[in-house]
Amino acid sequence: MKEYLQHDEWSIIEKGFKPEYNRISESIFSIGNGRMGQRANFEENYTGDSLQGSYVAGVYYPDKTKVGWWKNGYPEYFAKVLNATNWIGIDIEIDGKSLDLASCKVAKFRRVLNMKEGYLQRSFVATTKSGKKVKVESKRFCSIVDDEIGAIRYAVTPMNFSGTINVTPYLNGDVKNEDANWEETFWNPVKVVVKNTRAFVIAETKKTGFQVATGMKFEIAQKGNIGKLKTSKIKTGMYAGASVDVPVVKGEPIVVYKYVAILASLNHLPKDLLDRCKAKVKQAQQIGFAKLLKAQQKAWAKKWEDSDIIIEGDIAAQQAIRFNIFHLNQTFTGVDERLNIGPKGFTGEKYGGSTYWDTEAYCLPFYLATTEEKVAKNLLIYRYKHLEKAIENAAKLGFDKGAALYPMVTMNGEECHNEWEITFEEIHRNGAIAYGIFDYIRYTGDKDYLIDYGAEVLIAIARFWAQRVHFSAPRNQYVMHGVTGPNEYENNVNNNWYTNYIAAWCLEYATEAIAYVQSKAPHKYKALKEKIDFKEAEELANWKAIRSNIYLPEDKERGIFLQQEGFLEKALEPVSALRLEDRPLNQKWSWDRVLRSCYIKQADVLQGIYFFEEKFDLPTIQRNFDFYEPLTVHESSLSPCVHVILAAKLGKQEKAYEMYLRTARLDLDDYNNDTEDGLHITSMAGTWMAIVKGIGGMRVYDNTLHFNPFLPTSWKAVSFKIQFRGKTILVKVTPTETILENLSKESVAINLAGKALELKGEGRVAV
Ligand code: BGC
């Protein structure tokens, strides 16, 4: 755990230069706009430890799989989001030497992520080896108003000299991914242009052929005036820059404005890229930095208006939740159904920027409640569009007749993961995709989603489960062997309760969906049946036989579900008995020891109870929680939030708060010692859920919003807004009352702590 960042309600602040934490800060201070993302690398040259990262959404490379021992069925490649052309670079040369914080004396270093207004700011005073002292102040952002634009303001003030400073704004496409499997580069040059103060790099990804055009235009202002510049062109490989000698006067700043456009062939025809990139750069420059920033601030104000959570009385908690919300809004904006949410977003290379079950299981509720309906819907359509690939993916593993297995890790619908215990066995993800549809419809009431998209996906998923189970004669029940549940600290188990339960639920939900489509849209149903060759009577009967007779292991004496049929045979000792030096287990123990142990990486049985809470009575939830939580090490960032929600439901407020702290400041305090790889974006949505569903007790049952809040003792109040079916509800919880405000014109039915009430348009109740 590292606590080097200052607490502040609206900003993340790093004071003092800490090169040893630089990679961590580069992740934390990342900026993005859903279309592109940028780690908090320095604009000027830096030879110290750093992970350079500029990412463009949807642009990936299929990196040939590297495994020790090839197994049939492994995917050929791992798709990764690429480190793309560096657009932030501004080299500063003094006395012929590059300004480099690794070789200067650095004072007054300050890095600030202004979450309220959506920009990154940095300032420092550096003294070069030759004794020249300069003050640098930089500000940059990725526009959320026009998601193809980035802008930088970079001011250098000579503190103890007058003379010349050489400034070279540049673009550099000669970049690498640190996680490249074969140490290859992923880009080929298409066109590199430098013309005075403008430069363009068009690069194409190898194999996938995506083209990305990055363009820049810079200006240099002194005493508020933009001067005419005499530039020298620098063009090598995919590097394009223009160098300027700027006469400087002691104490007077020179200000470099760099306007950047990043356009991908995902959204433009390759032949148009250069012209459009030129036009966009020009447009950004004509608007100017100040106005672009103003628009950015306004747009962020709107985002905060919809999604902010206010915690009074605890600045660390306030900062943490805003940090989580900020990054979620930077990662996915929902404008493009081809994009999704990688576990690290645009903040690092780990997990390859690909999509996991995290989206449906953890992220969907945040976007459902804080944005327009179409944002969450686009996440679902993303999977709909991958259905064909999911069917191919299942076929590669030997399934047929339209059975779909959605990938554990994907960029374009194809499976990318290549550890057998995950690729072949962690099939519960298929259930999460179906659950996402259910959750979306439960929240929005948009049942017609089933007609146009949902039923087809649900049938294909149901077909998979129907083939994946088998009938066990000795048990006289359907069973599922050789799976890995959400708890990845156990592999190849038989009858993982969570997987069997969600499989049976999928069969039931698909059956309901079919009945709905059949009754509401018989013609579409007929067309669908033909399209997928659905043998209605036969398949439905088979699904029914399976779901009504599937083996769900339990221990009747303890009154608990069994994570897998052999779980109780393990040596059961609580996590509290572990030595501190053994944690985290995945870094300290051999994998073999981890797998044989009883320790649980993340919610497994409890994940199922969280998903299907209404199907279990409180004593059942309590017994399972009391049994499994003490065995859980929470070594997945996705774990604590589920525990907050269940603990809160059980009235275990202290436990809920303890778990909340673990999820909320996970990255800010580098709790798991891995923030340098990137931020845990998908678990940030879990943190949001921990407040809204855990502390706020929000649920949707029977088309009605329910709240059942409590307030952690160290907080004075917490409030949040919920968008629900066209209405906006403000919820505020204080130590003495819960206030509900309907910010919309129409009235809305709400259930508060078990009591039904009607909240009139623009009405307010305090209970
Ligand atoms: C978790 C998975 C998760 C993945 C990406 C793993 O550590 O065990 O459940 O999908 O991280 O977040």
Side-chain angles (χ1 to χ4, degrees):
M1 191 148 154
K2 300 171 194 71
E3 291 179 289
Y4 68 100
L5 301 168
Q6 317 276 304
H7 291 173
D8 181 275
E9 289 190 356
W10 275 110
S11 296
I12 310 300
I13 303 166
E14 177 187 8
K15 270 193 190 157
F17 184 45
K18 297 174 191 68
E20 69 281 19
Y21 292 163
N22 190 43
R23 279 184 184 237
I24 301 173
S25 293
E26 285 177 339
S27 302
I28 290 177
F29 291 78
S30 292
I31 51 172
N33 60 14
R35 184 77 65 194
M36 59 162 125
Q38 173 63 47
R39 280 171 63 84
N41 310 121
F42 300 159
E43 285 87 0
E44 71 281 354
N45 181 27
Y46 182 60
T47 55
D49 188 33
S50 162
L51 173 69
Q52 189 74 34
S54 306
Y55 309 103
V56 183
V59 174
Y60 64 91
Y61 176 80
D63 204 10
K64 190 170 168 305
T65 302
K66 191 174 198 176
V67 283
W69 203 273
W70 185 266
K71 308 225 168 17
N72 276 346
Y74 273 174
E76 299 289 322
Y77 68 88
F78 188 91
K80 35 189 69 148
V81 71
L82 304 182
N83 183 21
T85 297
N86 167 359
W87 58 272
I88 59 165
I90 302 176
D91 249 1
I92 303 295
E93 239 179 59
I94 301 166
D95 295 337
K97 286 251 162 10
S98 201
L99 177 70
D100 174 2
L101 293 198
S103 61
C104 290
K105 215 172 111 213
V106 183
K108 298 190 177 161
F109 181 93
R110 196 176 148 91
R111 192 162 14 192
V112 179
L113 185 64
N114 185 321
M115 301 185 289
K116 191 171 188 179
E117 300 181 346
Y119 63 84
L120 169 68
Q121 199 172 8
R122 190 167 57 100
S123 55
F124 59 86
V125 172
T127 310
T128 65
K129 284 210 169 110
S130 60
K132 298 274 164 65
K133 203 179 206 185
V134 286
K135 182 162 101 190
V136 171
E137 292 163 296
S138 78
K139 206 178 251 189
R140 71 171 184 243
F141 57 92
C142 295
S143 169
I144 60 165
V145 179
D146 182 333
D147 59 16
E148 292 179 323
I149 288 180
I152 307 175
R153 181 188 188 278
Y154 191 90
V156 187
T157 311
M159 310 274 285
N160 61 354
F161 69 100
S162 298
T164 303
I165 291 182
N166 178 273
V167 179
T168 310
Y170 66 89
L171 305 171
N172 186 6
D174 289 316
V175 290
K176 285 187 176 161
N177 267 51
E178 265 193 7
D179 69 351
N181 281 346
W182 306 92
E183 286 173 29
E184 293 164 307
T185 56
F186 297 148
W187 296 97
N188 279 326
V190 176
K191 199 168 189 129
V192 180
V193 182
V194 183
K195 210 165 173 214
N196 302 323
T197 52
R198 296 189 305 157
F200 300 88
V201 172
I202 302 185
E204 184 176 79
T205 56
K206 295 180 182 168
K207 294 186 192 165
T208 34
F210 291 110
Q211 288 195 8
V212 174
T214 310
M216 72 156 186
K217 155 89 190 167
F218 71 93
E219 293 168 340
I220 298 182
Q222 282 179 297
K223 291 191 169 164
N225 298 319
I226 308 271
K228 224 176 150 28
L229 304 171
K230 196 167 167 300
T231 57
S232 319
K233 169 163 153 175
I234 313 175
K235 208 173 108 174
T236 51
M238 277 189 274
Y239 180 105
S243 169
V244 189
D245 279 328
V246 187
V248 294
V249 178
K250 185 177 147 189
E252 288 179 12
I254 57 169
V255 184
V256 184
Y257 292 101
K258 186 173 178 186
Y259 301 98
V260 174
I262 301 175
L263 276 63
S265 59
L266 224 62
N267 312 306
H268 305 272
L269 289 175
K271 69 174 178 48
D272 297 336
L273 273 176
L274 184 59
D275 285 346
R276 293 201 178 176
C277 190
K278 282 180 178 169
K280 184 115 308 175
V281 168
K282 191 168 178 193
Q283 178 195 336
Q285 181 242 341
Q286 281 172 345
I287 298 172
F289 188 87
K291 278 201 181 143
L292 285 172
L293 183 59
K294 221 173 180 139
Q296 174 85 342
Q297 291 160 336
K298 208 168 143 204
W300 269 103
K302 169 78 180 99
K303 283 215 186 273
W304 285 115
E305 199 184 308
D306 295 340
S307 58
D308 193 17
I309 293 184
I310 300 168
I311 299 173
E312 292 169 38
D314 186 340
I315 291 194
Q318 174 67 80
Q319 179 184 44
I321 188 63
R322 285 201 171 124
F323 177 70
N324 288 277
I325 294 169
F326 179 70
H327 277 292
L328 287 166
N329 280 325
Q330 292 205 109
T331 307
F332 184 72
T333 56
V335 293
D336 188 336
E337 69 207 20
R338 295 165 302 172
L339 306 181
N340 209 282
I341 308 150
K344 300 275 170 192
F346 302 114
T347 66
E349 295 177 1
K350 198 165 173 203
Y351 295 122
S354 302
T355 308
Y356 286 62
W357 73 304
D358 304 28
T359 293
E360 286 76 11
Y362 295 89
C363 300
L364 195 62
F366 169 79
Y367 296 101
L368 274 172
T370 62
T371 56
E372 306 158 86
E373 219 164 274
K374 75 162 198 287
V375 172
K377 187 171 177 178
N378 273 349
L379 287 174
L380 265 55
I381 291 185
Y382 173 91
R383 296 291 193 180
Y384 175 76
K385 294 209 156 161
H386 287 180
L387 179 58
E388 212 174 297
K389 294 271 184 213
I391 293 173
E392 277 171 27
N393 182 39
K396 281 183 199 157
L397 305 190
F399 299 89
D400 57 10
K401 299 190 183 114
L405 175 61
Y406 276 91
M408 187 64 185
V409 179
T410 194
M411 200 58 100
N412 64 354
E414 279 168 8
E415 177 62 87
C416 290
H417 201 91
N418 52 43
E419 288 169 285
W420 62 268
E421 63 276 27
I422 292 178
T423 315
F424 306 149
E425 296 205 330
E426 218 180 318
I427 50 178
H428 66 80
R429 67 212 184 221
N430 233 20
I433 312 297
Y435 187 81
I437 298 174
F438 165 78
D439 207 20
Y440 164 81
I441 294 175
R442 174 170 60 178
Y443 197 88
T444 59
D446 174 18
K447 225 172 161 185
D448 286 353
Y449 181 81
L450 292 175
I451 298 173
D452 296 326
Y453 309 97
E456 192 175 344
V457 171
L458 292 170
I459 292 172
I461 288 177
R463 284 172 157 177
F464 170 79
W465 292 123
Q467 292 176 40
R468 185 60 171 77
V469 298
H470 68 273
F471 191 75
S472 152
R475 237 184 237 296
N476 204 21
Q477 277 185 302
Y478 287 91
V479 294
M480 204 170 344
H481 281 191
V483 305
T484 299
N487 168 31
E488 293 175 343
Y489 287 0
E490 255 192 342
N491 299 150
N492 207 34
V493 298
N494 291 340
N495 296 309
N496 167 256
W497 179 84
Y498 173 78
T499 309
N500 285 13
Y501 191 94
I502 206 162
W505 172 84
C506 286
L507 295 172
E508 189 183 328
Y509 188 49
T511 307
E512 279 171 32
I514 290 165
Y516 181 81
V517 179
Q518 205 168 15
S519 69
K520 293 279 166 175
H523 294 299
K524 288 202 176 163
Y525 178 65
K526 193 163 165 277
L528 176 63
K529 250 175 88 173
E530 274 162 26
K531 176 179 170 195
I532 62 173
D533 191 21
F534 184 53
K535 308 221 167 7
E536 187 187 296
E538 188 189 314
E539 294 196 55
L540 286 179
N542 185 32
W543 297 357
K544 190 169 179 192
I546 295 167
R547 70 187 148 91
S548 54
N549 189 25
I550 195 160
Y551 174 46
L552 295 168
E554 61 180 316
D555 178 50
K556 290 226 161 71
E557 220 168 275
R558 289 180 173 84
I560 57 163
F561 307 119
L562 290 183
Q563 188 167 282
Q564 44 97 355
E565 61 184 36
F567 193 76
L568 288 180
E569 286 165 31
K570 293 194 158 191
L572 298 176
E573 267 213 82
V575 174
S576 56
L578 284 170
R579 296 175 317 160
L580 213 59
E581 54 271 34
D582 287 332
R583 309 283 310 278
L585 299 182
N586 64 15
Q587 288 172 23
K588 302 293 175 60
W589 281 9
S590 73
W591 193 234
D592 163 65
R593 191 172 174 195
V594 170
L595 291 180
R596 284 184 290 107
S597 82
C598 67
Y599 299 115
I600 302 172
K601 181 183 181 189
Q602 69 202 88
D604 193 305
V605 166
L606 297 183
Q607 179 76 36
I609 291 184
Y610 154 65
F611 270 176
F612 302 107
E613 185 194 73
E614 66 278 18
K615 310 249 184 196
F616 309 104
D617 58 26
L618 261 192
T620 306
I621 300 178
Q622 168 110 29
R623 284 192 304 273
N624 281 282
F625 187 92
D626 291 348
F627 181 78
Y628 285 109
E629 197 283 326
L631 301 175
T632 307
V633 283
H634 306 290
E635 287 177 13
S636 160
S637 64
L638 299 174
S639 189
C641 62
V642 172
H643 290 79
V644 176
I645 297 168
L646 292 181
K649 177 164 181 86
L650 294 169
K652 296 172 185 284
Q653 300 181 354
E654 257 174 55
K655 187 81 207 168
Y657 187 59
E658 174 201 324
M659 288 287 124
Y660 170 73
L661 290 181
R662 253 184 111 133
T663 168
R665 295 192 63 88
L666 181 87
D667 285 315
L668 284 178
D669 295 337
D670 195 15
Y671 215 97
N672 283 354
N673 216 9
D674 59 359
T675 301
E676 62 184 45
D677 300 334
L679 303 176
H680 298 82
I681 299 291
T682 49
S683 102
M684 291 179 167
T687 307
W688 177 90
M689 285 204 294
I691 291 202
V692 174
K693 292 190 175 193
I695 290 166
M698 185 193 86
R699 304 285 191 277
V700 176
Y701 293 134
D702 303 329
N703 297 308
T704 308
L705 268 179
H706 290 234
F707 296 98
N708 199 359
F710 80 94
L711 190 70
T713 47
S714 55
W715 295 1
K716 287 202 180 108
V718 60
S719 54
F720 55 85
K721 267 187 209 159
I722 293 297
Q723 313 289 328
F724 181 70
R725 304 192 181 183
K727 289 153 202 127
T728 307
I729 315 296
L730 175 76
V731 181
K732 180 163 183 173
V733 189
T734 74
T736 51
E737 58 182 5
T738 295
I739 300 153
L740 297 176
E741 234 179 293
N742 181 359
L743 305 179
S744 337
K745 296 245 180 310
E746 282 168 63
S747 70
V748 60
I750 290 191
N751 186 299
L752 179 61
K755 283 211 181 80
L757 48 99
E758 187 75 19
L759 201 53
K760 295 226 161 60
E762 295 176 350
R764 178 181 191 274
V765 286
V767 180

